[in-house]
Amino acid sequence: MAQPAAQGKKLKMKGDGAWGYAFIAVALVIYALFTAYPVVKAFLVSFQEYKPLGSTYVGFDNYVSSFHSALFWKAIRNTVVYTVLTVPVALVLSFAIAIMILPLRKSMQTAFKAIYYLPVVASGVALSVVWLWIYDPLPAGIFNQLIHLFGAHNQNWLGSSATSMLSLVIMSWLSSHGASIIIYLAALLGIDESYYEAADIDGATFWQKLWHIVIPCLKPTTLFLLVTGVIGSFQVFQNAYLMTGGGPDHATTMVGLLIFDNAFKYFEFGKAAAQSLVLAFIIAIISLIQFKFLGKDVEY
């Protein structure tokens, strides 16, 4: 008598599995169309002098010309400088703000989450317009008004090669870190209260709890934000494109902006594809190094 019931359960499991494969198939098709195919196509185009009505195979010429381009290496250097100056500061700021929000009442936590996350949903173009106004010369620009109070002269923040990169870095520092703050807060709320209780019994101070409990427990979260932050910084495009256009004298030309210019300004799609693959290779190597040295004792 038990056999039909078992058979029915087996049939039900098969049906559930079919629905699971169906949902996975949808995701796989979307991934194949919008991620895998563009990567494969970019790989093929990188070996061509691409033309809509007939491309020419040129071997490694696009890679060779990129590696011999002083502008390409300058864009790499600008991107590395921007990443080194922005990602660590973003992590520290997000962590500090999350720590300050954590002891507040739930309603206050929610209010601060909304305040810090609001710029994330705002248009990047609108934010750039605001920052263009902030960096305006006197008498309109806020930055110049501030430094004028201390006797400094009017600065052409975005128009000078000496200050244009610094301007983009400051913009990144003071822009939204809402997503990182939310992630850090979620991780902080996930730490077992018994750790804090044991530390209180031992008479641990705030800084001792922070160093011996909070930071080790948040190491997986920090690694995740570090890796995604570095990837995002290496792909930065919008700020440089809207604020400076890569100038002056290519002082703010990032790799992403250079690839865009080669593809859609100079129509050198083959060179742009080659440079995008080089960028992907650099990001992959840096990510592997981060996991190698920082992810040894991280449990997922």
Side-chain angles (χ1 to χ4, degrees):
M1 294 296 291
Q3 187 176 358
Q7 189 174 1
K9 185 177 180 181
K10 188 175 179 181
L11 290 173
K12 185 174 183 301
M13 291 295 291
K14 284 184 178 177
D16 291 342
W19 276 109
Y21 284 120
F23 284 117
I24 292 172
V26 173
L28 282 176
V29 168
I30 293 173
Y31 172 80
L33 282 177
F34 297 104
T35 303
Y37 173 73
V39 171
V40 173
K41 184 67 177 178
F43 179 75
L44 296 175
V45 170
S46 70
F47 296 102
Q48 299 171 357
E49 183 181 354
Y50 183 81
K51 294 177 183 175
L53 299 179
S55 301
T56 307
Y57 178 77
V58 295
F60 288 92
D61 285 0
N62 289 321
Y63 292 92
V64 173
S65 64
S66 295
F67 289 137
H68 283 86
S69 168
L71 180 57
F72 178 67
W73 290 111
K74 187 170 185 176
I76 293 280
R77 188 188 65 188
N78 288 341
T79 308
V80 171
V81 169
Y82 180 83
T83 301
V84 170
L85 292 177
T86 56
V87 174
V89 174
L91 283 178
V92 172
L93 282 176
S94 303
F95 177 75
I97 294 171
I99 287 289
M100 288 188 285
I101 293 175
L102 185 64
L104 302 178
R105 296 195 311 272
K106 192 170 182 180
S107 59
M108 292 297 291
Q109 281 188 18
T110 304
F112 275 104
K113 286 178 188 175
I115 290 169
Y116 282 112
Y117 199 77
L118 186 60
V120 177
V121 299
S123 166
V125 176
L127 293 176
S128 296
V129 170
V130 172
W131 276 96
L132 283 172
W133 166 63
I134 290 173
Y135 284 129
D136 262 353
L138 287 174
I142 292 178
F143 261 41
N144 278 316
Q145 290 182 20
L146 286 174
I147 64 172
H148 187 65
L149 294 175
F150 298 96
H153 296 293
N154 185 34
Q155 298 291 324
N156 187 6
W157 291 99
L158 299 172
S160 168
S161 57
T163 56
S164 55
M165 177 60 80
L166 177 63
S167 303
L168 294 184
V169 170
I170 292 174
M171 177 183 173
S172 174
W173 287 346
L174 300 180
S175 294
S176 171
H177 304 292
S180 300
I181 293 170
I182 298 293
I183 292 172
Y184 262 133
L185 267 175
L188 285 167
L189 292 170
I191 297 176
D192 197 323
E193 286 291 330
S194 63
Y195 295 156
Y196 298 121
E197 292 169 1
D200 288 333
I201 293 172
D202 291 337
T205 64
F206 169 81
W207 295 108
Q208 287 172 327
K209 292 179 193 173
L210 192 68
W211 183 255
H212 295 290
I213 298 175
V214 175
I215 291 178
C217 288
L218 294 190
K219 192 171 180 181
T221 306
T222 303
L223 178 62
F224 168 75
L225 292 175
L226 177 64
V227 172
T228 54
V230 169
I231 292 173
S233 288
F234 265 84
Q235 295 175 336
V236 67
F237 164 76
Q238 178 180 279
N239 292 353
Y241 179 72
L242 294 173
M243 300 291 290
T244 63
D249 193 26
H250 298 294
T252 57
T253 298
M254 311 294 182
V255 182
L257 181 57
L258 180 65
I259 292 170
F260 176 86
D261 284 345
N262 283 330
F264 302 107
K265 192 173 179 181
Y266 307 118
F267 302 107
E268 295 182 356
F269 292 101
K271 182 183 284 188
Q275 291 172 346
S276 65
L277 290 174
V278 172
L279 175 62
F281 179 76
I282 293 173
I283 291 174
I285 293 297
I286 293 175
S287 299
L288 286 174
I289 292 173
Q290 288 173 319
F291 279 111
K292 175 75 176 175
F293 291 99
L294 301 176
K296 289 180 180 176
D297 54 346
V298 172
E299 296 180 0
Y300 300 95

